[in-house]
Amino acid sequence: MAEVEAVQLKEEGNRHFQLQDYKAATKSYSQALKLTKDKALLATLYRNRAACGLKTESYVQAASDASRAIDINSSDIKALYRRCQALEHLGKLDQAFKDVQRCATLEPRNQNFQETLMRLNTSIQEKLRVQFSTDLRVQKMFEILLDENSEADKREKAANNLIVLGREEAGAEKIFQNNGVALLLQLLDTKKPELVLAAVRTLSGMCSSHRARATVILHAVRIDRICSLMAVENEQMSLAVCNLLQAIIDSLSGEDKREHRGKEEALVLDTKKDLKQITSHLLDMLVSKKVSGQGRDQALNLLNKNVPRKDLAIHDNSRTIYVVDNGLRKILKVVGQVPDLPSCLPLTDNTRMLASILINKLYDDLRCDPERDHFRKICEEYITGKFDPQDMDKNLNAIQTVSGILQGPFDLGNQLLGLKGVMEMMVALCGSERETDQLVAVEALIHASTKLSRATFIITNGVSLLKQIYKTTKNEKIKIRTLVGLCKLGSAGGTDYGLRQFAEGSTEKLAKQCRKWLCNTSIDTRTRRWAVEGLAYLTLDADVKDDFVQDIPALQAMFELAKTSDKTILYSVATTLVNCTNSYDVKEVIPELVQLAKFSKQHVPEEHPKDKKDFIDMRVKRLLKAGVISALACMVKADSAILTDQTKELLARVFLALCDNPKDRGTIVAQGGGKALIPLALEGTDVGKVKAAHALAKIAAVSNPDIAFPGERVYEVVRPLVSLLDTQRDGLQNYEALLGLTNLSGRSDKLRQKIFKERALPDIENYMFENHDQLRQAATECMCNMVLHKEVQERFLADGNDRLKLVVLLCGEDDDKVQNAAAGALAMLTAAHKKLCLKMTQVTTQWLEILQRLCLHDQLSVQHRGLVIAYNLLAADAELAKKLVESELLEILTVVGKQEPDEKKAEVVQTARECLIKCMDYGFIKPVS
């Protein structure tokens, strides 16, 4: 019984294979393999499963299955050739050559085997030539680099070539085998920045996607040496070493996503110890006086990226627990640094914010209350341990630490505000004579007032305290910060016009002062940043945002700040732009509930007159004119943990609002907006990715893809657009995604292949069934372009589906645009395959009537496509041609063909005449003398 079932499963697998459902075929063959012991059947099943592996590009599996078939029958020519194909794809040309050589011996007259033999022979010769020349090149490069008498330009060229070689798998392996690691260590020993940089970048390429090499390099260079290189006061060097460490971490933790084979697969490396050692050294870097601000930032970036879990569904958070136990106090020390104190560690503008983000990520990564309680206790002990009546600087560090935590996990920060002595110390520092004390206290008050519903102390005491400082201080730095605190408290009503906190006109005055400070270049960047922070809150008021976008110098000053190295400003700028473009989520107002609220004397949110559509459009125009796109593009490029997923979402919202008007999209593309949107559509929050993908769809629908997304970037646009075809997305997103894909699919076959590989075809077909006219039209137009691709045509050729029937029926629709697109698709399909011409006559009884309607259509473009279909059918088969001539179609062709061809009708008349000539060739009609 088992043998019979195995044979049935084999037949079932064969049917799936013919229908190009290779996964189902593989499943059937695998089930059959478990049921049979018959050697001949086993060989066939392994051989067939190898064919599936080749089709699904699972070359390792294909080679393995073919080998098993050959083990049963060494002369199995199909299995030998399939293994040859798999090995060729895996780069094992010498083994592939042996297999095809055996095939050619068994069947010497087989042309296919002879051609493969010649091709592989050529490839092997070329590989050997490159291999020998690569070995020599590697040696030559190191000789030039290590020779102190070499010319500078030769050294530079050798260094660049070495870096490029290290990025390629074959090149990296050659460097590694030719004692390259020892020679690269010699380059590091030279201490010459340009040589050290070249060595670091080459090592980084060699570590990428190769666990064994990464382990050897980590132990050869040593983690302490890598960290000391990252600690230098050189931004380029710090970043390069950070990339090296990231490549090592990715390879050790399996983040490289590479499929390991052969010897690499056989190695079992325990990398936990190495990863723990890297984490430990990075934590030590945070509190070392010898580490530069740049080095500290890169250490924080690495910890931010690699310690917390990327997916909370993963149960193991041991890396976070290790960092909390061994490094939280060190992170708190960085957060508590006061730049103006002599004891301060070397910092950049971004260091403390990066540390706050790390604290937030670690806290979010904890799984249960006991873990969070332990985290809170460490923070409490650290802060209370800093309080010292004799040492004001320590008290300052304590309040600065609370301020930093408030920028991270706010719930935790709010609990810490309740600690005995914290609020009292903040009030005492506000009254201090020393500028630094006041600055720290005011910043802490500002961060404490972020969530007004919880900051009860701030509501009761904050406004009067801040107003007092604002009136008495003559220091501009403190004035700006107190103003921001007042801005935050003043914006408590959000966009609700009826919930203004201050008297009429007060928010406008505050905003005017913020804009004035923003434009004042004599004030330091850190202080001007606070002016943007204030505007981020005040621009919730429609009068404020309207005034702000009219103040071009203030806008451009904000954009220039966004482009600086201080990335802590990103969130504030993004929030301000979201407010100005009204791209935040607005709750739908249900009239019945409004009436109910008024009746029960509840507060009803009011919309400001300047939040209406025409005002928003005007603000968007002004932002584009002021150069907002170049600022956004610069912000997206920020390679820092400060560019959080939430900030990316805000930027995506702004882009979507800016792309709303089709007339503005050319400006956005010209200023680099298309390129900037791609990373936002691929990474970030789910909402952010959808917003960015929608903005991409708007641009892709109306722009030339070669200009909007130059080079290889255009292929990255496909996946975000395909994601918008999901039925959970709204109709507008579906429609604009289809328009974008239509535009892309019309550019090249490579793009059509990419769309097909992203599995967009079933979604496009679904929308061709839609009741919504515009969606159906867009999907049909997209399919019209897609049918040019060979694999799409194969789907139409396959039996057991209604794809062709759907296209034929859509040709009979009343909508001219749907008819035009469907007729175009049908014309291309029937031109490509004679089988489809015959199939068209079988899918529906209405086919002839539909064809005649197309050939008589009022629109010349539709009529021309109908006549092309008629010609394809006539040319395909004599029997089919006879059937068409016997119908009314001959009369239609004669009438159209006899017309005098003017400029517009030339193509139509010419095609009709070609149809008639074809009928004459068959002898069905004769020319009139």
Side-chain angles (χ1 to χ4, degrees):
M1 284 297 289
E3 293 294 336
V4 172
E5 196 178 340
V7 172
Q8 287 172 347
L9 282 164
K10 186 199 84 169
E11 296 301 329
E12 184 186 289
N14 292 349
R15 284 196 295 277
H16 285 309
F17 190 89
Q18 284 169 350
L19 292 170
Q20 298 173 7
D21 190 350
Y22 304 119
K23 282 186 180 174
T26 304
K27 191 178 176 183
S28 297
Y29 295 142
S30 300
Q31 286 172 339
L33 282 165
K34 292 174 187 172
L35 298 172
T36 184
K37 289 180 181 176
D38 180 83
K39 286 199 170 182
L41 184 56
L42 282 169
T44 306
L45 289 167
Y46 280 125
R47 187 173 68 207
N48 289 2
R49 199 167 74 174
C52 293
L54 288 171
K55 291 289 186 183
T56 57
E57 298 178 12
S58 307
Y59 300 120
V60 176
Q61 186 63 46
S64 172
D65 283 340
S67 294
R68 287 180 178 183
I70 293 160
D71 289 343
I72 297 166
N73 178 7
S74 60
S75 299
D76 189 333
I77 201 159
K78 284 186 179 178
L80 279 164
Y81 190 62
R82 281 168 195 171
R83 187 169 73 175
C84 160
Q85 289 174 295
L87 291 168
E88 185 182 355
H89 281 290
L90 293 170
K92 298 177 180 179
L93 302 182
D94 49 344
Q95 293 175 40
F97 185 79
K98 285 177 187 174
D99 280 347
V100 78
Q101 204 171 31
R102 177 110 173 90
C103 291
T105 308
L106 292 167
E107 280 188 24
R109 290 185 180 179
N110 189 311
Q111 191 64 31
N112 202 9
F113 295 160
Q114 296 298 336
E115 285 173 8
T116 308
L117 201 61
M118 286 170 67
R119 189 182 70 248
L120 285 173
N121 186 36
T122 309
S123 300
I124 289 166
Q125 295 303 322
E126 179 62 19
K127 191 178 177 183
L128 287 169
R129 187 185 66 75
V130 170
Q131 195 170 320
F132 288 127
S133 65
T134 304
D135 288 349
L136 290 169
R137 275 166 60 209
V138 170
Q139 288 167 11
K140 189 76 178 164
M141 282 175 213
F142 279 117
E143 281 171 21
I144 294 167
L145 291 168
L146 293 168
D147 182 4
E148 292 189 6
N149 301 318
S150 299
E151 293 171 24
D153 58 336
K154 275 191 177 180
R155 271 189 165 191
E156 188 183 344
K157 194 175 178 183
N160 288 336
N161 287 343
L162 198 64
I163 293 163
V164 171
L165 206 59
R167 286 177 187 156
E168 296 166 6
E169 174 56 32
E173 196 55 37
K174 283 290 147 220
I175 296 170
F176 193 75
Q177 287 172 1
N178 287 341
N179 195 32
V181 177
L183 293 167
L184 287 165
L185 285 172
Q186 284 182 44
L187 285 181
L188 293 178
D189 290 335
T190 61
K191 302 237 167 52
K192 291 180 179 174
E194 69 279 5
L195 295 182
V196 173
L197 202 57
V200 167
R201 285 174 175 165
T202 306
L203 288 166
S204 185
M206 290 169 70
C207 289
S208 293
S209 308
H210 203 294
R211 189 178 294 183
R213 270 204 305 265
T215 307
V216 170
I217 287 167
L218 178 64
H219 288 277
V221 185
R222 298 192 327 276
I223 182 63
D224 55 330
R225 188 174 188 182
I226 294 172
C227 289
S228 65
L229 283 169
M230 196 161 77
V232 298
E233 189 68 66
N234 179 328
E235 188 177 352
Q236 214 178 8
M237 182 69 74
S238 273
L239 187 58
V241 180
C242 175
N243 289 337
L244 167 60
L245 262 178
Q246 187 59 58
I248 291 171
I249 292 167
D250 284 347
S251 294
L252 296 185
S253 59
E255 292 288 325
D256 54 346
K257 304 280 189 294
R258 200 171 75 98
E259 192 180 333
H260 298 293
R261 300 188 294 267
K263 293 175 187 174
E264 181 75 7
E265 191 181 31
L267 284 168
V268 180
L269 299 167
D270 184 13
T271 59
K272 285 181 183 174
K273 192 178 174 184
D274 287 332
L275 287 167
K276 194 171 274 190
Q277 195 183 23
I278 292 169
T279 307
S280 178
H281 274 81
L282 290 174
L283 290 169
D284 290 341
M285 281 183 75
L286 299 184
V287 290
S288 170
K289 276 259 184 189
K290 294 176 183 175
V291 176
S292 68
Q294 289 292 344
R296 213 176 309 281
D297 283 3
Q298 297 303 349
L300 284 164
N301 272 327
L302 285 166
L303 290 166
N304 264 308
K305 192 169 181 182
N306 298 295
V307 174
R309 291 170 292 169
K310 289 179 177 67
D311 181 3
L312 294 178
I314 299 164
H315 194 68
D316 180 23
N317 68 340
S318 55
R319 279 195 273 196
T320 294
I321 299 298
Y322 175 79
V323 171
V324 170
D325 290 340
N326 298 280
L328 182 55
R329 288 174 184 80
K330 293 170 183 174
I331 302 163
L332 290 170
K333 185 174 179 178
V334 177
V335 161
Q337 293 300 298
V338 180
D340 301 326
L341 294 183
S343 61
C344 184
L345 296 166
L347 306 173
T348 69
D349 293 329
N350 302 320
T351 312
R352 288 187 60 249
M353 179 61 85
L354 284 167
S356 290
I357 288 166
L358 179 56
I359 290 172
N360 190 42
K361 285 188 173 182
L362 294 173
Y363 191 73
D364 285 347
D365 200 43
L366 299 174
R367 289 199 327 252
C368 55
D369 286 343
E371 287 179 1
R372 283 184 275 275
D373 289 340
H374 175 58
F375 192 101
R376 192 192 73 250
K377 278 172 189 167
I378 293 173
C379 295
E380 285 178 0
E381 285 167 15
Y382 182 84
I383 291 161
T384 50
K386 284 279 177 188
F387 285 140
D388 186 349
Q390 308 302 319
D391 190 342
M392 203 57 175
D393 286 359
K394 278 191 170 182
N395 295 329
L396 211 55
N397 287 133
I399 297 303
Q400 187 80 318
T401 306
V402 174
S403 182
I405 294 169
L406 283 163
Q407 290 177 78
F410 188 84
D411 291 345
L412 175 64
N414 216 24
Q415 287 176 319
L416 297 173
L417 283 173
L419 281 177
K420 191 181 176 186
V422 171
M423 278 299 185
E424 291 80 355
M425 183 55 69
M426 281 165 69
V427 174
L429 289 171
C430 282
S432 168
E433 295 294 316
R434 196 164 64 154
E435 179 192 300
T436 308
D437 296 353
Q438 283 196 337
L439 280 174
V440 170
V442 171
E443 285 185 20
L445 277 171
I446 292 166
H447 296 311
S449 61
T450 300
K451 297 270 175 83
L452 276 163
S453 57
R454 300 178 190 174
T456 47
F457 177 88
I458 305 298
I459 293 169
T460 49
N461 303 288
V463 175
S464 56
L465 201 59
L466 291 168
K467 277 185 179 174
Q468 184 62 32
I469 298 168
Y470 186 70
K471 285 174 186 171
T472 54
T473 187
K474 289 182 178 149
N475 187 315
E476 288 281 87
K477 291 181 182 180
I478 296 166
K479 245 184 171 24
I480 290 177
R481 284 161 174 78
T482 51
L483 186 75
V484 172
L486 291 168
C487 291
K488 274 189 162 183
L489 294 167
S491 67
T495 55
D496 187 350
Y497 183 48
L499 264 186
R500 290 186 159 198
Q501 295 291 304
F502 294 151
E504 188 77 35
S506 295
T507 40
E508 286 94 319
K509 283 179 189 172
L510 289 172
K512 195 174 179 182
Q513 189 59 56
C514 279
R515 298 204 313 267
K516 189 177 164 187
W517 277 320
L518 183 57
C519 296
N520 188 349
T521 49
S522 62
I523 302 172
D524 67 285
T525 308
R526 260 180 73 207
T527 307
R528 286 169 72 208
R529 190 189 84 217
W530 284 99
V532 182
E533 182 96 5
L535 285 166
Y537 291 93
L538 291 173
T539 46
L540 284 164
D541 184 295
D543 287 317
V544 171
K545 60 180 119 178
D546 218 53
D547 292 343
F548 180 46
V549 293
Q550 290 178 52
D551 188 346
I552 299 298
L555 272 181
Q556 289 176 337
M558 182 175 81
F559 296 157
E560 287 309 310
L561 278 177
K563 295 174 188 176
T564 61
S565 60
D566 180 359
K567 299 302 172 195
T568 55
I569 200 170
L570 294 181
Y571 190 80
S572 305
V573 173
T575 306
T576 306
L577 291 171
V578 164
N579 292 341
C580 290
T581 55
N582 284 48
S583 47
Y584 40 71
D585 288 327
V586 180
K587 284 184 181 176
E588 189 185 348
V589 177
I590 300 164
E592 290 82 359
L593 288 179
V594 171
Q595 291 299 322
L596 195 63
K598 283 179 180 176
F599 181 73
S600 57
K601 295 183 180 174
Q602 296 292 316
H603 173 73
V604 179
E606 297 174 41
E607 186 188 36
H608 195 289
K610 288 184 179 176
D611 275 331
K612 289 190 166 34
K613 182 86 170 66
D614 50 346
F615 279 96
I616 298 167
D617 293 344
M618 192 61 71
R619 288 199 288 272
V620 164
K621 292 262 184 237
R622 288 195 172 119
L623 284 169
L624 286 167
K625 198 174 177 182
V628 67
I629 298 297
S630 60
L632 288 169
C634 198
M635 290 163 76
V636 171
K637 286 177 191 168
D639 186 19
S640 168
I642 293 174
L643 183 64
T644 58
D645 288 349
Q646 286 71 28
T647 309
K648 287 178 187 173
E649 183 187 314
L650 294 177
L651 295 174
R653 285 174 181 275
V654 176
F655 265 120
L656 183 56
L658 296 173
C659 291
D660 192 51
N661 188 338
K663 290 176 184 176
D664 295 331
R665 293 174 201 170
T667 309
I668 292 165
V669 167
Q671 294 176 10
K675 292 177 280 186
L677 270 166
I678 295 170
L680 295 178
L682 298 172
E683 290 176 2
T685 64
D686 290 339
V687 172
K689 286 192 283 189
V690 170
K691 301 272 183 198
H694 193 185
L696 273 176
K698 284 178 181 288
I699 288 172
V702 298
S703 310
N704 180 342
D706 300 336
I707 296 168
F709 318 107
E712 296 296 306
R713 285 193 189 91
V714 71
Y715 300 105
E716 295 178 55
V717 178
V718 173
R719 184 170 293 173
L721 295 196
V722 172
S723 73
L724 289 181
L725 298 181
D726 193 308
T727 49
Q728 290 183 328
R729 307 276 80 86
D730 64 46
L732 183 63
Q733 290 169 342
N734 300 151
Y735 176 67
E736 292 188 318
L738 285 166
L739 292 184
L741 289 169
T742 303
N743 198 5
L744 293 179
S745 58
R747 302 306 296 178
S748 71
D749 197 56
K750 207 173 170 187
L751 271 167
R752 287 190 281 274
Q753 185 180 20
K754 176 70 177 167
I755 294 167
F756 182 81
K757 287 264 165 114
E758 291 293 343
R759 297 178 183 157
L761 209 64
D763 290 323
I764 297 168
E765 286 168 350
N766 285 343
Y767 288 113
M768 287 167 74
F769 283 105
E770 262 290 336
N771 289 327
H772 195 287
D773 291 344
Q774 284 177 296
L775 274 174
R776 190 167 70 252
Q777 175 203 323
T780 311
E781 285 173 353
C782 190
M783 185 59 79
C784 180
N785 287 348
M786 286 300 294
V787 294
L788 286 167
H789 185 56
K790 188 183 170 187
E791 289 179 82
V792 176
Q793 291 170 10
E794 285 172 5
R795 291 285 181 98
F796 277 88
L797 281 165
D799 295 325
N801 68 74
D802 289 333
R803 289 187 180 91
L804 191 65
K805 182 179 179 179
L806 173 63
V807 174
V808 174
L809 291 174
L810 285 173
C811 288
E813 284 282 312
D814 293 331
D815 187 322
D816 290 351
K817 288 180 178 176
V818 172
Q819 264 190 312
N820 195 40
L826 196 56
M828 284 184 276
L829 286 166
T830 50
H833 295 280
K834 287 183 180 180
K835 186 182 171 184
L836 288 174
C837 296
L838 299 167
K839 192 175 178 181
M840 176 186 161
T841 64
Q842 296 159 6
V843 290
T844 172
T845 52
Q846 300 168 35
W847 69 273
L848 188 56
E849 184 191 333
I850 289 167
L851 181 60
Q852 288 169 356
R853 278 180 62 193
L854 288 177
C855 293
L856 286 168
H857 206 281
D858 297 338
Q859 273 198 18
L860 292 175
S861 63
V862 180
Q863 188 181 17
H864 179 242
R865 291 173 183 204
L867 290 165
V868 170
I869 297 164
Y871 178 82
N872 293 339
L873 297 182
L874 287 166
D877 180 70
E879 283 297 313
L880 179 55
K882 191 178 180 184
K883 199 173 185 181
L884 289 170
V885 169
E886 288 169 356
S887 73
E888 290 174 13
L889 189 69
L890 179 62
E891 192 180 333
I892 294 166
L893 293 172
T894 310
V895 170
V896 177
K898 280 182 178 178
Q899 290 178 11
E900 283 300 318
D902 57 24
E903 198 177 316
K904 289 180 182 176
K905 291 184 178 178
E907 276 187 325
V908 170
V909 175
Q910 182 59 33
T911 310
R913 287 174 180 178
E914 284 171 10
C915 290
L916 293 168
I917 291 166
K918 199 75 193 169
C919 294
M920 283 162 56
D921 291 345
Y922 283 126
F924 297 147
I925 58 171
K926 290 178 182 177
V928 178
S929 57

